[in-house]
Structures are given as C-alpha cells and as structure tokens.
Amino acid sequence: SSIRVLDLYLSVKYSQVYDQTFENKIFEIFKHFFPEKTKIFSNYSVDRSSENDLLIGYGKTWLIVEIKNTGFRPPMRNPIKAFNKIKTDFDKAVQLGYEQCKRVEDIFLSGEDVDITDADSRKLLYHLKSKNIGEVRSIVVTDYKYGPIQSDLSKMLKKDEWALYPWSVCADDLETLLLLMKKLLKGIAPARFIEFLDYRERYHGHVTCFDELELCGWYLCDRGQFKKYADTDFEF
C-alpha cells in the first residue's frame, strides 16, 4: 500500500540522515583534535571507484578511518543464536570497516603516488607523492561497544597474518580519549596519539578488557609501563 511505501521511504531517509550525522560527528572530533595544518579528507576515494569515510594526514603519518553506525541488537538467551548474532554484528561493523581500511592501506603502501579524489564528483582533491607516505594506520569507529572482541581483535577479526590490526573503538571512547589528550598533553597530543596507536596494536592477542577506556587510561597514567608490556606475551 501507499502507506507502507511511505513508511519505507521515511525509514530509509532517516537512516541516511542519521548515518551522515554520525559521520559528521566523528569528522568534528578529529578536526578539533588535530592542528589546522593537518590534511583531512571525508567521503573520498583513492581508486576512483570505492568510497571511504575519512583520511587524515599528519606529517607523513596517514590515518585511514572507517565509521560504522550499525546499531545494536539485544542479546539472546540461546548461546548458539547469540554467538551467530554477535558474529554477524561484528562482521557488519568491525570486519567490514577493517576490509575497507585495508584496501586503502594497500594502495598507500604500494610505493606509488596516490590521487585522492572526491568520491562523488571524482574531482582531484590532493596528489600525494609516495615520498610523503610514512606510517599508515587504520581506525574503525563504531557506534556501539563490542567489549572484549573489540579490545582484542585476534578473537574474531579475519586478516592476513602479517597485516597490522586496526584500532577499533566506539565513538564515545574515541572522543573521551582525544579530549583528555588535548587537555593533558598540550602541543604534543597528536604525536602521542599516533604513538598510542602503535603500542595499542601490539596488545591484540594478549589482552582481555571489557572497556577500551581502561587501556586508554593506562597509557595516559603510565605511558612507560604501557609501552613496556605491549611487547610481552603476558595476558592482561
């Protein structure tokens, strides 16, 4: 009926507006954190075909950010069905976000120059020379906390053995960390954030944590200890 069609149309439009609002929020969080000279591109492409969410260039370090607003389905009592639901939700958010980041990573690490274009108009936004590509990191931002399977991606993320893990974090935890860094580490916050990403990646496979902010707080309160234990085989 016409009413059902209208309901479907309104639902789709609401979802589109909500998704764009969420993406804009993440863009503003990063824009507020990094200095003005930082290169930030949204809704961009590096192969003139696929669309990606956010790209941040700070010096020669490039951060590839995918933003996933997939919602939350309540838990189930049946353990088999519950696992399948969790796995499906994880794949739609973190796994897909990682795969989208990885495509950009591969292009950045190919040793070739990269043309960054607008995903819609295909207009050239920036020609990036290969000599200006140093460290490349991926970040997957979600709207929901996935607990220990997000803090230790080795439990569920599918990736090549040699590939680095992304940092996967919910939007609220990301905003909290960056606001604290900007306040506590005046002038050096962006460099320390990139350092955090480096050492945080090494914890996957030997950390059990239900709250990402506990790990963020550990870095802020005892940076030396955080770095020391990142390269051990102890389970935390």
Side-chain angles (χ1 to χ4, degrees):
S1 68
S2 59
I3 294 178
R4 292 182 63 185
V5 172
L6 177 60
D7 287 343
L8 178 61
Y9 172 78
L10 292 176
S11 177
V12 171
K13 292 299 292 183
Y14 172 81
S15 179
Q16 290 174 343
V17 171
Y18 188 81
D19 287 347
Q20 187 59 55
T21 301
F22 186 63
E23 290 181 13
N24 290 343
K25 174 185 175 181
I26 305 305
F27 176 87
E28 290 299 325
I29 289 172
F30 279 111
K31 184 179 179 182
H32 177 71
F33 177 74
F34 283 99
E36 291 185 4
K37 62 180 180 181
T38 305
K39 298 178 179 64
I40 304 181
F41 305 96
S42 60
N43 190 37
Y44 72 97
S45 176
V46 291
D47 57 9
R48 295 185 182 275
S49 59
S50 60
E51 176 184 339
N52 293 89
D53 292 333
L54 200 60
L55 180 66
I56 302 169
Y58 178 72
K60 290 188 176 183
T61 298
W62 292 86
L63 305 180
I64 305 161
V65 183
E66 284 299 316
I67 304 164
K68 294 300 170 189
N69 175 33
T70 57
F72 168 66
R73 295 187 296 170
M76 306 176 70
R77 293 181 181 275
N78 184 301
I80 302 300
K81 292 182 178 180
F83 175 82
N84 292 336
K85 181 192 77 68
I86 292 169
K87 182 67 167 64
T88 300
D89 289 352
F90 181 90
D91 287 346
K92 287 170 58 179
V94 182
Q95 184 69 47
L96 178 59
Y98 166 71
E99 291 169 0
Q100 292 172 325
C101 286
K102 189 61 170 59
R103 286 198 296 268
V104 180
E105 271 191 38
D106 290 342
I107 292 172
F108 269 61
L109 299 176
S110 67
E112 303 292 332
D113 292 357
V114 179
D115 283 338
I116 303 169
T117 63
D118 181 271
D120 296 323
S121 67
R122 305 305 179 193
K123 177 183 177 181
L124 180 65
L125 300 175
Y126 188 73
H127 177 73
L128 177 61
K129 295 183 178 180
S130 60
K131 67 178 183 179
N132 292 324
I133 301 175
E135 188 176 5
V136 179
R137 291 283 175 180
S138 291
I139 301 174
V140 180
V141 182
T142 62
D143 60 332
Y144 169 68
K145 290 186 179 185
Y146 290 85
I149 61 172
Q150 190 170 22
S151 60
D152 182 6
L153 294 175
S154 71
K155 289 180 170 64
M156 201 164 282
L157 187 77
K158 297 177 182 177
K159 72 174 189 66
D160 293 331
E161 184 178 356
W162 52 266
L164 294 175
Y165 286 100
W167 183 43
S168 183
V169 61
C170 81
D172 290 342
D173 290 353
L174 170 70
E175 184 174 25
T176 300
L177 174 63
L178 297 191
L179 285 172
L180 280 171
M181 281 189 160
K182 192 175 180 68
K183 181 177 179 63
L184 300 174
L185 305 172
K186 298 183 185 300
I188 60 171
R192 286 290 176 85
F193 175 60
I194 292 167
E195 179 187 76
F196 168 79
L197 293 178
D198 179 21
Y199 284 92
R200 176 66 183 87
E201 191 275 339
R202 306 181 201 185
Y203 275 96
H204 294 289
H206 66 107
V207 65
T208 299
C209 182
F210 287 82
D211 188 346
E212 181 67 26
L213 282 181
E214 291 184 5
L215 296 170
C216 296
W218 184 13
Y219 175 81
L220 289 174
C221 293
D222 197 335
R223 172 173 164 249
Q225 187 185 70
F226 185 88
K227 293 166 65 174
K228 175 183 176 181
Y229 288 116
D231 291 319
T232 69
D233 294 327
F234 296 129
E235 181 75 20
F236 292 92

